[in-house]
Amino acid sequence: MVRSPCCSGDHEAEGLKKGPWSAEEDAKLSEYIEKEGHGRWSDLPKKAGLNRCGKSCRLRWINYLRPDIKRGNFSDEEEAMIINFHSLYGNKWSKIATHLQGRTDNEIKNHWNTRMKKKLLRMGIDPNTHKPRTDHLNQAMNLSQLLGTGGGPHLGSPPLSSLENAIANAAELAKLQLQSLLVQIIGTSNPPPIMDHGSTNNSLLGIPNYDNHHLGFLGFAPPMQHQAVNHSSPWPSYGGGLGVVRGDDNGGLCGDACMIQPENPLPQLVSASPEGSTVKNQFESESLPICSNWPTQSQALTFVEDWEKLLEEDTSASFLREILQ
DNA sequence: AATCCCGCCAACCGCCGGTAT
DNA sequence: AATACCGGCGGTTGGCGGGAT
């Protein structure tokens, strides 16, 4: 693949201007495009009387001058959409941008990198994988062990400060809750709906949405099956259930077991790697995923197999293995 | 008041896939 | 089929502004 002439050389050596655009340049570009359309970007600068390369003009138009650009802060809803679509597409900013009216890929990318990544990290979510950051839990458990609280405070241990006690208790609580959660997941004869039956290796623990559904423990919330979503999150569609899916209340497909957020017409969360995801296809065909019925026995079996695979393969899951044993 | 630090964001860079020749 | 070119994309950078020291 050969390099475009536009990018092959030093623009300044060619006498082309770089850097911030002046108001005059903006006016020239806008006026020309509104009158003539952009046509071939490489021809545009000459025709419009601009001393810029075509790429620069294109970028300026698309990211700044276009009349339908929405400016200002991102709303909660937009942020939630970005998270959802990022979980679906990964860093495909242009794809994400097509779903957010008036927002450019550059803007979304910037927003993600400067703010949303940090927000997610603060919430204990890995922004790359959209999975809970297990390092936090590991740290808590390690601390718990260090403090000798694996089975509760030991006699003879040095007295703990109230902070240490709080941390140790939280770690212990988390551990117990996780144990309870795992038992529920594996032992249940009535597992909750699995949204994406076609994918087994994408999301946390290999089961998209199933996992997310159960990860209310992120905030160390009680692990209750079929529990309603925790709506206290600052992000409407993201709070409580990472894999929140719009359900069909009247369709009877989901019933109470489905976490329903009628106000949120967003697709379910899936892995950051779109490959192998049926949800991607569902979405690209512009149809919202619909909550399906209870999993079949083979699907439940797949789930258990995935668990086993995870425990065998994923070193990061060593603490889970420890708990299960 | 001066300096430093940090976050934000517009713009650039380099690569890629698609299309024309 | 090979080459040249273009548009588009994602990663990165550098300047600017505001807050902290």
Side-chain angles (χ1 to χ4, degrees):
Chain A
M1 213 46 72
V2 294
R3 181 78 54 78
S4 159
C6 175
C7 308
S8 61
D10 184 343
H11 288 158
E12 279 164 330
E14 294 166 19
L16 296 178
K17 195 181 168 197
K18 279 172 63 174
W21 281 65
S22 67
E24 192 189 346
E25 287 176 308
D26 281 346
K28 269 187 182 175
L29 181 59
S30 295
E31 197 180 328
Y32 180 83
I33 291 178
E34 276 160 18
K35 212 156 54 179
E36 310 285 341
H38 62 71
R40 277 164 66 113
W41 287 109
S42 54
D43 295 341
L44 185 145
K46 210 185 284 179
K47 290 180 182 169
L50 287 161
N51 196 27
R52 297 265 182 178
C53 82
K55 254 185 163 179
S56 182
C57 294
R58 177 184 160 271
L59 212 63
R60 183 64 177 171
W61 174 257
I62 288 175
N63 286 338
Y64 195 82
L65 296 175
R66 232 174 47 191
D68 59 331
I69 290 225
K70 193 196 277 184
R71 304 232 147 256
N73 294 337
F74 281 74
S75 66
D76 285 350
E77 194 177 334
E78 282 176 315
E79 289 196 336
M81 286 178 78
I82 291 170
I83 292 167
N84 274 292
F85 287 117
H86 187 268
S87 74
L88 193 60
Y89 298 133
N91 289 1
K92 303 286 180 195
W93 306 115
S94 59
K95 259 194 142 173
I96 295 171
T98 62
H99 297 288
L100 277 88
Q101 189 70 32
R103 300 293 189 182
T104 69
D105 53 355
N106 205 37
E107 204 179 2
I108 294 169
K109 178 174 62 182
N110 282 333
H111 188 66
W112 177 266
N113 286 328
T114 57
R115 300 184 192 185
M116 294 183 66
K117 262 181 161 177
K118 291 170 197 166
K119 269 192 188 179
L120 288 174
L121 286 170
R122 274 202 302 273
M123 291 173 69
I125 297 160
D126 185 331
N128 296 317
T129 62
H130 293 252
K131 298 171 187 174
R133 294 172 65 200
T134 52
D135 54 326
H136 280 174
L137 197 54
N138 272 326
Q139 282 166 10
M141 288 183 178
N142 290 340
L143 186 56
S144 162
Q145 283 166 2
L146 276 174
L147 295 171
T149 55
H154 295 295
L155 288 174
S157 301
L160 302 176
S161 72
S162 56
L163 174 63
E164 287 168 333
N165 265 326
I167 293 170
N169 288 339
E172 189 60 23
L173 178 63
K175 191 173 174 178
L176 288 170
Q177 288 177 344
L178 189 56
Q179 283 174 328
S180 157
L181 173 68
L182 295 176
V183 167
Q184 279 182 48
I185 291 171
I186 291 173
T188 180
S189 57
N190 269 331
I194 296 174
M195 300 307 300
D196 182 358
H197 299 155
S199 171
T200 58
N201 61 351
N202 281 339
S203 196
L204 179 75
L205 311 183
I207 304 291
N209 300 300
Y210 189 95
D211 51 25
N212 291 338
H213 173 92
H214 282 81
L215 288 172
F217 76 90
L218 258 181
F220 296 145
M224 284 186 283
Q225 223 168 338
H226 307 168
Q227 187 189 12
V229 178
N230 169 15
H231 289 279
S232 62
S233 161
W235 297 338
S237 69
Y238 204 59
L242 288 161
V244 173
V245 178
R246 181 195 172 97
D248 181 355
D249 232 340
N250 303 319
L253 287 172
C254 307
D256 294 333
C258 239
M259 296 194 294
I260 297 167
Q261 292 203 321
E263 77 283 3
N264 171 32
L266 299 176
Q268 65 198 83
L269 283 175
V270 295
S271 155
S273 58
E275 288 76 28
S277 166
T278 57
V279 175
K280 180 186 175 185
N281 294 334
Q282 285 172 353
F283 195 83
E284 283 178 345
S285 66
E286 298 303 322
S287 63
L288 286 169
I290 297 169
C291 188
S292 57
N293 218 327
W294 297 94
T296 64
Q297 197 174 359
S298 66
Q299 283 156 355
L301 185 63
T302 304
F303 170 66
V304 174
E305 285 167 356
D306 284 330
W307 259 96
E308 288 170 355
K309 214 185 295 178
L310 173 84
L311 294 174
E312 280 168 17
E313 292 172 1
D314 190 348
T315 52
S316 72
S318 57
F319 76 99
L320 292 173
R321 201 179 306 128
E322 196 180 310
I323 291 165
L324 284 173
Q325 288 164 356

